[in-house]
Amino acid sequence: MNGLGTPSGPVLACGEVRTCLLPTRKAVDERTAVRLLRLRADEPVRTSRRPNRHALSPDVLTGVDCRLPTATGAKVRAVGTVAAHAGLVEGRVLQSTAYFCAPATGPDRRRPWGYYLVRPGALVPVGGLPVKSVTEGFLTGHQGEQLDIGSIAESLLARISRRHDLLDHDAPLTTTDTSLRWTASPADDGEPATALFTELGPTLRIVELRLPRGTAPTAAATLCEDLALHDWLLTTVGDKLDGLPPGSENQAAAMKVLRPLVDHLLHLWMPQARLDRALSPPWEELERLPGFSRQWNTMAQRIRDQLALQNLVRGDAPAPS
């Protein structure tokens, strides 16, 4: 399908991103990353080294025939395939994303599977698509037998994490997985991209995007993966610092918390590393309020200050500024 809002393109894209620490003691190298993410024999894993190391699996498709979540309770049946892929950042943080796009209208009755298989990553409604109701219902969460796209993303995450032949399952720190559920619809002509970002509890975030017409659903997914990665970093480091022993009361316990953050996470902060320039405005909004990078820089400085304090207590040379 073409991009969002084009004459023959979808009017809505929806997805969910799961983010976690790869369960292994050391970050994996590029060769191991490729082996982990080789989900299909007919398509390669894409890798890049600039501005940071990143590996991306090919898409895998899951066929579905079910009701979509709706805010009004309307019964909207959709048939087609959900696309899912996984990404690995610096051999350390694993993400899985499941997503689909949907047109405004579809056939008034179900067609044979061949009709849907030539539209990979698209769910075609039987009849019309109430975009507003589906958007609100999807962000709120599925009920009963409605589409549960998060389970598709979680299944892919588990499939990769269970690779016992490549992973030692001895992570250097305990972390919590996070989920980011998103929708994307076309903005009015001439309007920039916008994002309404909301935290729903400790591990769930929802994002409602309005993107320039013609934006590919894959570009929307990439934007949300970037948001999910950096939100996970803020959440993980913030949780660790909240549990840090005060002052220098317990040096060993403090160092046990601080060292893994420095060794495995601090260098991962790199917003918009692979983002389409047209999709920068949502990040700019988040930098203003709540101030993602400002919060990150404050936490990073707190870690450096704590390390310097621990060095002084032990009588070591001051840590470099």
Side-chain angles (χ1 to χ4, degrees):
M1 281 191 169
N2 295 324
L4 291 169
T6 57
S8 59
V11 296
L12 182 66
C14 304
E16 188 160 327
V17 186
R18 300 289 174 98
T19 306
C20 71
L21 188 73
L22 191 68
T24 191
R25 171 59 53 176
K26 297 180 180 179
V28 299
D29 58 21
E30 184 175 301
R31 182 179 178 183
T32 304
V34 169
R35 292 177 64 193
L36 275 172
L37 301 184
R38 187 177 291 131
L39 304 180
R40 294 172 51 176
D42 60 334
E43 286 193 32
V45 174
R46 289 181 287 165
T47 62
S48 59
R49 299 179 181 178
R50 302 288 185 274
N52 58 8
R53 291 195 301 122
H54 186 264
L56 183 67
S57 80
D59 276 350
V60 291
L61 302 177
T62 301
V64 299
D65 180 349
C66 60
R67 289 171 52 192
L68 297 179
T70 59
T72 60
K75 295 182 179 179
V76 180
R77 181 185 180 187
V79 187
T81 55
V82 173
H85 60 240
L88 191 57
V89 181
E90 287 286 355
R92 185 74 279 177
V93 179
L94 177 65
Q95 293 184 291
S96 66
T97 303
Y99 67 102
F100 67 89
C101 59
T105 58
D108 58 4
R109 65 188 65 180
R110 192 192 188 286
R111 295 288 182 87
W113 268 113
Y115 175 86
Y116 304 102
L117 292 178
V118 297
R119 298 167 171 80
L123 294 186
V124 182
V126 178
L129 182 77
V131 175
K132 187 174 186 296
S133 180
V134 171
T135 297
E136 295 176 359
F138 183 86
L139 292 174
T140 301
H142 77 285
Q143 298 180 4
E145 297 181 355
Q146 297 172 342
L147 174 65
D148 178 9
I149 199 170
S151 66
I152 298 176
E154 183 62 30
S155 177
L156 181 57
L157 199 73
R159 173 182 170 184
I160 295 169
S161 297
R162 285 196 299 262
R163 293 295 304 274
H164 290 276
D165 57 328
L166 298 174
L167 303 173
D168 58 29
H169 293 268
D170 182 25
L173 66 163
T174 57
T175 63
T176 301
D177 300 356
T178 59
S179 301
L180 185 144
R181 191 180 301 145
W182 59 271
T183 63
S185 56
D188 295 333
D189 289 338
E191 288 189 355
T194 61
L196 180 59
F197 182 97
T198 307
E199 289 190 20
L200 294 181
T203 62
L204 175 63
R205 289 82 173 95
I206 60 172
V207 178
E208 185 173 356
L209 297 169
R210 297 268 292 172
L211 303 180
R213 292 182 183 275
T215 300
T218 52
T222 299
L223 168 60
C224 291
E225 289 159 4
D226 196 42
L227 294 175
L229 168 66
H230 291 85
D231 171 77
W232 180 86
L233 287 169
L234 284 172
T235 301
T236 299
V237 174
D239 287 348
K240 293 298 182 184
L241 292 179
D242 286 344
L244 194 68
S248 57
E249 294 176 3
N250 191 332
Q251 297 175 44
M255 295 302 290
K256 189 175 180 180
V257 172
L258 296 171
R259 284 298 183 189
L261 298 182
V262 174
D263 293 342
H264 300 281
L265 299 185
L266 287 194
H267 64 289
L268 299 182
W269 188 263
M270 200 172 295
Q272 306 184 65
R274 291 173 177 81
L275 203 61
D276 185 326
R277 185 175 298 179
L279 302 185
S280 293
W283 251 114
E284 294 168 2
E285 290 182 33
L286 290 172
E287 294 291 27
R288 286 194 297 269
L289 187 71
F292 267 31
S293 289
R294 184 167 64 250
Q295 182 181 356
W296 177 260
N297 292 335
T298 298
M299 289 193 298
Q301 186 58 52
R302 182 181 171 190
I303 291 171
R304 296 187 188 98
D305 291 344
Q306 285 287 339
L307 288 174
L309 175 62
Q310 299 303 324
N311 288 336
L312 288 173
V313 170
R314 294 199 314 265
D316 295 345
S321 58

